[in-house]
Amino acid sequence: MTTMNPHEHLAALSREASLLGSSAALLGWDQEVLLPEGGRAYRGEQLALLARLAHERVAGTAMSDAIAKAEAASGDLDPLGDDAVNLRELRRTHERKKLLPVELVEEEARLQSEGQAIWAKARGASDFGQFAPVLERIVDLLRRKAECYGVPDGGEPWDALAEDYEPGCTAKEVDAVFGPLEVRLRELVANLSAADQSPCDAFNRVVFDRSAQEAFVRHMAEGIGFDFNRDRLDTSTHPFCSGTHCGDVRLTTRFHDDNILDALGSTLHECGHGIYEQGLRYDAIGLPVGDSISLGIHESQSRMWENQVGRSAAFWEWATPLAHDILGGGARNFDASALYGAANVVAPGFIRVEADEATYNLHIIIRFGLERQMLKGELAVRDLPEAWNARYRELLGVEVTDDAHGCLQDIHWSMTAMGYFPTYTLGNLHAAQLFEAACSAHPGLVDGFSRGEFDPLREWLNTNVHAEGKRYGALELTEKLTGKPLSAEPLMRHLESKLLPLYGLA
């Protein structure tokens, strides 16, 4: 029998906890895709048990002892070596998780399962009143969770929760970025809205057969390099990416009779998440060096494939003949220029996941502010629809017509995920900055999209982002790869260089 050294023993405990967590993720995927209605109540109990067992593995004394022994045996470890990174991140996670009572962990898992089921029904009925009672319970639980973690000095409950999604991120820091960004985006949207010229969105009103839509988006996913030998693509109310490890990645998308660009954008977005997951190290499954850095970096990957790639003129030079062949009929009335324009129409609307690039981050700014208010007790849950609708009127100039197009459109709060939404905008900032670095490393990168050449971008990301695991923090990684701290300038350059010419303003 081979005796494990302290770092190997610590890694074994981490892998065991990961097995439990990934099993719960698989049950969560099944809950959204295949689970019959009659199985939902018991699913909550299954997920609660797995949550408790995983929590005990991460927060318990066995992990504490293993970390202490590994630290004692560390000597002169390279701080960026695998053992040191695993130790650093497992210590951080352990210290954080042990602050949570196991009863609270179980309660949250049950509430997530119940909340998602009630949200789906309420959204289908466009009735926030059905969802409000469970959302009140969710906000209460999250306040208790934040208290367990401890609110940082000068901070607020949101900060304590955000640490799970974007380590080190605080509401004040997000505010400092979002404030100026909101001003610039609103100015850009106003200028585009007042322009005498604009692209046509007629393609998005063409009805296509569901099977043709499915074939088209799958072909696009395969074209950018998503590996369906390690994945499946299904449908759900809200598109998402899940799975158990880099060899089993689960994506979902959604379809309408028309609005094919929504299905394509959702699929490319989730493929970006999936490509990240597939790019993680197989030999490090269950370890921090084999895990993603943060949700901001994860979102940078999804938003990059959705926007910098999927909304580029070069992408549509490649994709248009395929759209003609696969979608047939009405698609053949549009050339590559028309489809590129349709993919970049700026039109303030209600739905975040259908939003254009220029208005998308305004949707995130609204959600960030509202969840902060709910957590601080400044906004009662019952008053959420009114507050939501007022902010949409103020920032996007639209009148929300019903709850399904308003505060019930996103699944996140039903999953107890508050502290999450800003990672979408942080992801957009990282995406634009990293994409510029990839273009510098590979001159002609974008031109290659027109020939279906996506390997250079995917491989650059695999090497420089995915395979690094948690070796670097999010801000640290982007600065390392780009030579500059994270900034909104690359995102604004991306938006203005594309949209101003399309609207005859440059």
Side-chain angles (χ1 to χ4, degrees):
M1 181 177 178
T2 303
T3 302
M4 292 186 289
N5 68 41
H7 288 283
E8 291 170 338
H9 178 59
L10 179 61
L13 292 180
S14 177
R15 286 190 167 102
E16 185 179 72
S18 178
L19 282 170
L20 291 165
S22 63
S23 297
L26 191 57
L27 288 180
W29 168 86
D30 175 77
Q31 177 174 269
E32 296 305 308
V33 178
L34 296 173
L35 183 69
E37 188 62 31
R40 286 191 176 272
Y42 194 63
R43 179 55 48 86
E45 294 303 310
Q46 293 169 321
L47 290 169
L49 174 60
L50 287 171
R52 175 171 65 81
L53 294 173
H55 179 78
E56 289 172 348
R57 296 298 190 282
V58 175
T61 56
M63 179 64 76
S64 181
D65 291 344
I67 289 171
K69 290 177 181 177
E71 287 177 336
S74 290
D76 296 325
L77 281 181
D78 176 359
L80 293 177
D82 284 2
D83 285 344
V85 171
N86 288 334
L87 178 56
R88 179 193 74 207
E89 292 299 317
L90 289 171
R91 163 63 77 184
R92 174 188 167 276
T93 302
H94 170 72
E95 293 297 332
R96 185 165 170 78
K97 293 294 185 185
K98 72 180 186 180
L99 296 172
L100 297 180
V102 68
E103 296 81 10
L104 183 63
V105 173
E106 288 184 295
E107 181 185 353
E108 182 171 16
R110 290 191 185 94
L111 193 52
Q112 287 170 341
S113 184
E114 179 185 357
Q116 289 173 68
I118 293 173
W119 165 80
K121 289 181 180 178
R123 185 178 183 275
S126 192
D127 181 8
F128 178 74
Q130 294 183 27
F131 181 56
V134 75
L135 183 57
E136 288 174 341
R137 290 164 55 201
I138 286 169
V139 171
D140 174 72
L141 180 143
L142 291 175
R143 286 176 182 151
R144 288 184 280 131
K145 188 176 181 180
E147 289 174 2
C148 291
Y149 284 143
V151 176
D153 291 341
E156 58 188 81
W158 190 94
D159 300 338
L161 301 174
E163 185 73 14
D164 284 337
Y165 307 112
E166 199 68 19
C169 183
T170 68
K172 286 182 179 178
E173 291 170 341
V174 172
D175 250 348
V177 174
F178 280 16
L181 183 62
E182 177 187 332
V183 172
R184 295 186 66 177
L185 289 173
R186 293 179 71 176
E187 180 181 1
L188 174 62
V189 172
N191 290 337
L192 297 176
S193 298
D196 295 329
Q197 171 185 321
S198 64
C200 176
D201 68 347
F203 180 62
N204 246 354
R205 295 191 294 275
V206 179
V207 173
F208 294 108
D209 179 77
R210 169 69 176 270
S211 61
Q213 291 192 49
E214 291 175 352
F216 178 61
V217 301
R218 184 181 179 94
H219 196 91
M220 296 296 98
E222 290 174 331
I224 67 172
F226 191 71
D227 183 0
F228 278 99
N229 290 320
R230 298 186 285 160
D231 166 78
R232 57 179 295 130
L233 176 64
D234 295 275
T235 60
S236 65
T237 302
H238 192 104
F240 67 93
C241 172
S242 183
T244 64
H245 65 293
C246 56
D248 176 14
V249 180
R250 311 293 178 97
L251 307 184
T252 70
T253 190
R254 67 182 184 184
F255 298 93
H256 310 276
D257 290 339
D258 58 3
N259 202 7
I260 179 62
L261 292 179
D262 175 57
L264 176 61
S266 295
T267 303
L268 292 178
H269 181 97
E270 301 308 333
C271 278
H273 285 304
I275 287 171
Y276 191 170
E277 292 295 312
Q278 290 180 345
L280 297 173
R281 288 169 50 184
Y282 189 87
D283 69 319
I285 292 172
L287 301 176
V289 290
D291 198 4
S292 55
I293 299 169
S294 73
L295 276 183
I297 294 296
H298 228 307
E299 287 302 327
S300 78
Q301 306 304 283
S302 60
R303 296 293 288 172
M304 188 184 300
W305 286 102
E306 178 187 357
N307 295 324
Q308 275 78 4
V309 177
R311 281 184 159 119
S312 68
F315 175 88
W316 283 105
E317 287 180 38
W318 166 74
T320 299
L322 296 168
H324 292 169
D325 290 343
I326 299 170
L327 296 172
R332 297 192 182 105
N333 297 324
F334 300 88
D335 61 15
S337 177
L339 296 186
Y340 168 59
N344 288 287
V345 170
V346 173
F350 308 108
I351 306 299
R352 174 185 65 84
V353 296
E354 297 175 6
D356 58 82
E357 285 187 89
T359 62
Y360 181 90
N361 294 299
L362 297 175
H363 291 260
I364 303 304
I365 290 169
I366 290 170
R367 287 153 177 76
F368 168 59
L370 293 174
E371 67 182 22
R372 288 178 71 191
Q373 287 182 290
M374 285 191 286
L375 288 168
K376 289 192 289 186
E378 297 172 354
L379 173 65
V381 167
R382 298 280 176 175
D383 296 331
L384 177 61
E386 182 180 355
W388 178 289
N389 298 351
R391 287 293 280 157
Y392 265 74
R393 190 180 305 116
E394 177 188 359
L395 263 65
L396 289 157
V398 297
E399 291 291 339
V400 178
T401 55
D402 55 64
D403 292 339
H405 288 85
C407 60
L408 286 177
Q409 65 182 267
D410 291 307
I411 196 172
H412 303 67
W413 291 338
S414 75
M415 298 165 55
T416 72
M418 289 191 178
Y420 186 121
F421 274 117
T423 64
Y424 287 109
T425 292
L426 294 174
N428 282 328
L429 300 180
H430 284 290
Q433 197 156 325
L434 291 172
F435 190 72
E436 286 189 347
C439 289
S440 295
H442 293 279
L445 181 76
V446 174
D447 290 339
F449 298 165
S450 65
R451 301 182 293 274
E453 296 170 2
F454 302 101
D455 287 356
L457 175 59
R458 191 181 66 258
E459 291 170 359
W460 188 87
L461 293 170
N462 284 160
T463 299
N464 292 287
V465 178
H466 311 160
E468 293 287 10
K470 291 183 179 291
R471 199 175 314 281
Y472 303 99
L475 297 175
E476 185 183 8
L477 178 72
T478 292
E479 185 162 2
K480 173 180 178 289
L481 294 176
T482 67
K484 298 178 181 178
L486 185 66
S487 164
E489 292 306 319
L491 175 61
M492 296 307 301
R493 278 197 295 270
H494 164 72
L495 293 174
E496 292 169 353
S497 65
K498 177 171 58 174
L499 296 175
L500 293 179
L502 278 170
Y503 279 78
L505 298 176

